[in-house]
Amino acid sequence: MDLGAVTNHSTLHAKPSGLVLQYGTAGFRTNAEHLDHIMYRMGLLAVLRSKQMKATIGVMVTASHNPEEDNGVKLVDPLGEMLAPSWEEHATRLANAEEQDLQRVLVDISESEAVDLQQDAFVVIGRDTRPSSEKLSHSVIDGVTVLGGQFHDYGLLTTPQLHYMVYCRNTSGRYGKATIEGYYQKLSKAFVELTKQASCSGDEYRSLKVDCANGIGALKLKEMQHYFSQGLLVQLFNDGTKGKLNHLCGADFVKSHQKPPEGMEMKSNERCCSFDGDADRIVYYYLDADGQFHLIDGDKIAALISSFLKDLLLEIGESLDIGVVQTAYANGSSTLYLEEVMKVPVYCTKTGVKHLHHKAQEFDIGVYFEANGHGTALFSKAVEVKIKQLAKELEDNKGKAAKMLENIIDLFNQAAGDAISDMLVIEAILALKGLTVQQWDALYMDLPNRQLKVKVADRRVISTTDAERQVVTPPGLQEAISDLVKKYKLSRAFVRPSGTEDVVRVYAEADSQENADSLAHEVSLAVFQLAGGIGERPTPNF
């Protein structure tokens, strides 16, 4: 390890004094002007991780659904997963080291992780369409090369596409071909094969309006659409030709504001969906005949997918272990529908994709979605082998169902939640089941809910248990919440500290919007009083 060269190059990527950043679930994110040193250092870290794992590591330059002036970076582990938690700590330490300590921190990481510095390293890099992304990706490359790492720069990619590339390269191409054409062909072939089975020959299921958040999803869908055009016509809006990234559009805007994006013309009962800025989230929506907006979020996507998978397994005659993984933010109606109507077991984890992904890996088939539209389905290797075998052996309807399941497995990006992959899965299922968007929406009615934030002096005073559904500290807060919940029908509420700022997030649901709002407000007051609220007392402003 040429520490002299590391230091010399580091002066070209100087750390702003006093800046401290934390590597979280989404990696590092902040204003793009403050990220040059972070990118260089994450290039260094990716080389060490690659040497330790003897595998290809990914580095993605993106800030997902954040405003255009922000940027960020995250590392991708060998099977397309999030970076291991112990290495998140290394990332934070390396990012915040002062120039004079940089060499020592690199040596400490290498020694504590028993990195063989003679081992070859290979890093793949992708970036989104932000104006700052290209320059910042060059800083990553500088970090990779100064430590002697080899690299391949994929240039513009969605975040899930980079996860896919890493997974392909570390499975010797068994998962797929590690090129953008390989990604397009694998997904499109599975989609076209699936939709050929659809009995509906009319056009009404075959057209979809897509809000691309003025991001990378638009570029990649444009490149990809001719591969699957015989099965689906997509009309792209907010495609980056004029609007700003994530501004008044995209999945996060639509979900949080409960209204359509700017820049999309919607007619009643048309199926529409929105990606977020790096195309790893998707939500659906439509306007009914009265012009009323209906959102179909990650909970309802999980319900559609898991019920379809269960139906296929019943048809084939296989009793596999299928589970749906949610967070505490999942609407209570979705949990009830899955458990009581579909008889699919539901499990709750802490908020954050890595927790859901990890839990989903425990099942033969694990479906996970956050309410924000980030999710996928995972299939164990044994299940993949078994289904491929059954697709060859079985005949009649059983064989047809096994073949469908084989295609569904190929259609999911099992490395990460992927808006393009999820969109194609949803469109295939709706076509195969002959469902309109209204019929899908009518699977169950969401309970009215409200989310609020309370500013506190120190968010660490709040600690939780039971997948964040129960408060442990401060004393008395859980009792207060429980008493408030008893006042309303079909109600529940929970609070959790933000991962990034000194606020406490409040979630409440009840039998009516008025009651959900009232419960959320009363819980906010309890948090303000018992957990060190600062500023003005919460007021109901719905």
Side-chain angles (χ1 to χ4, degrees):
M1 189 155 62
D2 186 348
L3 293 173
V6 168
T7 306
N8 289 340
H9 277 256
S10 188
T11 56
L12 304 173
H13 305 282
K15 173 183 178 291
S17 63
L19 182 68
V20 176
L21 292 172
Q22 181 84 22
Y23 192 104
T25 301
F28 291 110
R29 278 191 203 166
T30 189
N31 187 289
E33 291 175 12
H34 304 317
L35 281 169
D36 183 46
H37 70 295
I38 297 277
M39 299 293 170
Y40 171 69
R41 294 174 183 202
M42 289 309 99
L44 301 173
L45 191 71
V47 169
L48 295 185
R49 182 65 170 159
S50 176
K51 286 175 183 284
Q52 187 213 31
M53 298 299 288
K54 302 182 174 56
T56 297
I57 295 295
V59 180
M60 184 69 200
V61 178
T62 183
S64 189
H65 53 274
N66 280 35
E68 187 170 271
E69 53 274 14
D70 287 355
N71 217 320
V73 61
K74 64 179 183 181
L75 272 64
V76 179
D77 257 358
L79 296 181
E81 330 94 309
M82 305 270 185
L83 186 62
S86 60
W87 280 77
E88 288 185 3
E89 291 171 26
H90 296 324
T92 298
R93 196 167 156 227
L94 188 62
N96 296 321
E98 298 303 333
E99 289 297 332
Q100 66 271 20
D101 300 324
L102 189 61
Q103 290 189 9
R104 183 174 54 78
V105 172
L106 281 171
V107 171
D108 283 355
I109 293 168
S110 302
E111 288 177 354
S112 69
E113 295 289 352
V115 175
D116 175 4
L117 296 172
Q118 304 310 307
Q119 176 69 35
D120 289 340
F122 198 87
V123 178
V124 293
I125 299 147
R127 67 175 192 271
D128 71 10
T129 54
R130 291 163 195 273
S132 58
S133 289
E134 187 170 8
K135 183 172 180 292
L136 290 174
S137 70
H138 288 152
S139 302
V140 174
I141 291 167
D142 204 10
V144 172
T145 51
V146 79
L147 277 187
Q150 301 293 305
F151 72 93
H152 179 79
D153 181 7
Y154 279 101
L156 292 164
L157 284 183
T158 70
T159 296
Q161 285 171 344
L162 184 77
H163 284 258
Y164 166 90
M165 301 303 175
V166 174
Y167 196 11
C168 290
R169 282 176 176 269
N170 288 313
T171 50
S172 310
R174 282 192 308 278
Y175 182 66
K177 207 171 158 195
T179 63
I180 194 67
E181 285 77 22
Y183 171 92
Y184 293 155
Q185 285 164 359
K186 181 182 178 186
L187 270 61
S188 300
K189 179 171 177 280
F191 176 74
V192 170
E193 286 290 315
L194 262 175
T195 49
K196 273 183 195 164
Q197 309 281 335
S199 55
C200 167
S201 56
D203 304 337
E204 66 262 44
Y205 303 119
R206 305 302 183 163
S207 174
L208 175 69
K209 290 186 168 177
V210 186
D211 156 34
C212 297
N214 290 313
I216 182 68
L219 285 183
K220 296 301 157 184
L221 259 188
K222 274 179 191 166
E223 291 174 5
M224 186 179 181
Q225 59 187 0
H226 73 272
Y227 286 89
F228 61 73
S229 54
Q230 68 193 86
L232 177 68
L233 172 70
V234 289
Q235 290 175 269
L236 308 187
F237 296 85
N238 298 315
D239 64 356
T241 49
K242 44 182 189 290
K244 267 182 87 169
L245 177 70
N246 295 324
H247 182 60
L248 304 177
C249 60
D252 202 54
F253 172 84
V254 172
K255 168 76 176 153
S256 54
H257 291 84
Q258 304 271 323
K259 66 179 186 183
E262 303 272 314
M264 182 190 269
E265 306 147 24
M266 288 176 68
K267 297 189 186 119
S268 65
N269 297 327
E270 281 185 328
R271 261 192 344 284
C272 306
C273 69
S274 286
F275 294 180
D276 70 336
D278 63 341
D280 67 357
R281 293 183 185 183
I282 184 169
V283 295
Y284 270 70
Y285 44 91
Y286 67 98
L287 295 177
D288 65 22
D290 298 324
Q292 182 78 33
F293 177 78
H294 294 258
L295 177 73
I296 300 177
D297 65 7
D299 296 340
K300 224 160 238 182
I301 293 172
L304 179 76
I305 290 168
S306 53
S307 57
F308 183 71
L309 292 173
K310 186 156 189 230
D311 288 347
L312 286 182
L313 291 174
L314 283 171
E315 183 69 55
I316 298 164
E318 287 293 324
S319 56
L320 296 174
D321 182 21
I322 183 168
V324 176
V325 188
Q326 299 181 326
T327 70
Y329 285 106
N331 195 277
S333 290
S334 72
T335 313
L336 207 62
Y337 172 79
L338 287 163
E339 289 183 332
E340 302 297 323
V341 181
M342 290 312 304
K343 306 290 188 226
V344 175
V346 178
Y347 300 84
C348 190
T349 70
K350 286 166 69 173
T351 306
V353 173
K354 62 185 173 188
H355 302 298
L356 291 124
H357 193 92
H358 186 69
K359 184 69 183 174
Q361 288 172 320
E362 294 177 14
F363 306 99
D364 292 334
I365 301 175
V367 178
Y368 73 83
F369 271 85
E370 291 188 289
N372 63 25
H374 189 292
T376 188
L378 305 180
F379 302 83
S380 73
K381 287 288 159 279
V383 165
E384 287 193 29
V385 170
K386 187 171 195 176
I387 295 301
K388 281 191 185 339
Q389 192 62 34
L390 289 172
K392 283 186 189 135
E393 291 172 0
L394 295 174
E395 294 179 0
D396 301 330
N397 284 347
K398 284 191 172 189
K400 190 176 165 186
K403 188 70 187 155
M404 277 188 196
L405 191 48
E406 183 182 27
N407 285 319
I408 284 273
I409 291 169
D410 283 342
L411 190 45
F412 273 111
N413 183 346
Q414 293 186 61
D418 182 339
I420 294 175
S421 158
D422 291 340
M423 175 191 83
L424 293 174
V425 168
I426 291 162
E427 291 300 314
I429 293 173
L430 292 176
L432 288 162
K433 290 177 79 78
L435 286 177
T436 64
V437 68
Q438 302 91 319
Q439 288 167 324
W440 173 21
D441 188 30
L443 287 179
Y444 60 83
M445 289 290 288
D446 276 329
L447 281 167
N449 57 86
R450 175 67 64 193
Q451 295 186 44
L452 299 174
K453 290 194 289 194
V454 181
K455 283 189 179 176
V456 291
D458 181 2
R459 67 182 183 273
R460 290 171 299 184
V461 302
I462 299 249
S463 62
T464 63
T465 186
D466 187 25
E468 302 175 315
R469 291 176 290 191
Q470 296 279 319
V471 175
V472 178
T473 60
L477 180 54
Q478 184 55 53
E479 289 80 358
I481 294 169
S482 299
D483 287 344
L484 291 168
V485 164
K486 285 176 193 160
K487 292 167 55 179
Y488 301 95
K489 287 180 186 167
L490 301 176
S491 64
R492 69 183 181 103
F494 67 91
V495 304
R496 54 180 285 272
S498 162
T500 52
E501 51 186 330
D502 279 322
V503 300
V504 175
R505 301 190 186 280
V506 174
Y507 178 91
E509 63 187 31
D511 60 337
S512 70
Q513 191 61 58
E514 189 183 351
N515 285 346
D517 290 346
S518 181
L519 176 57
H521 172 62
E522 290 177 325
V523 170
S524 297
L525 284 174
V527 169
F528 189 84
Q529 286 158 359
L530 297 170
I534 55 172
E536 289 184 20
R537 283 165 61 85
T539 53
N541 56 348
F542 313 115

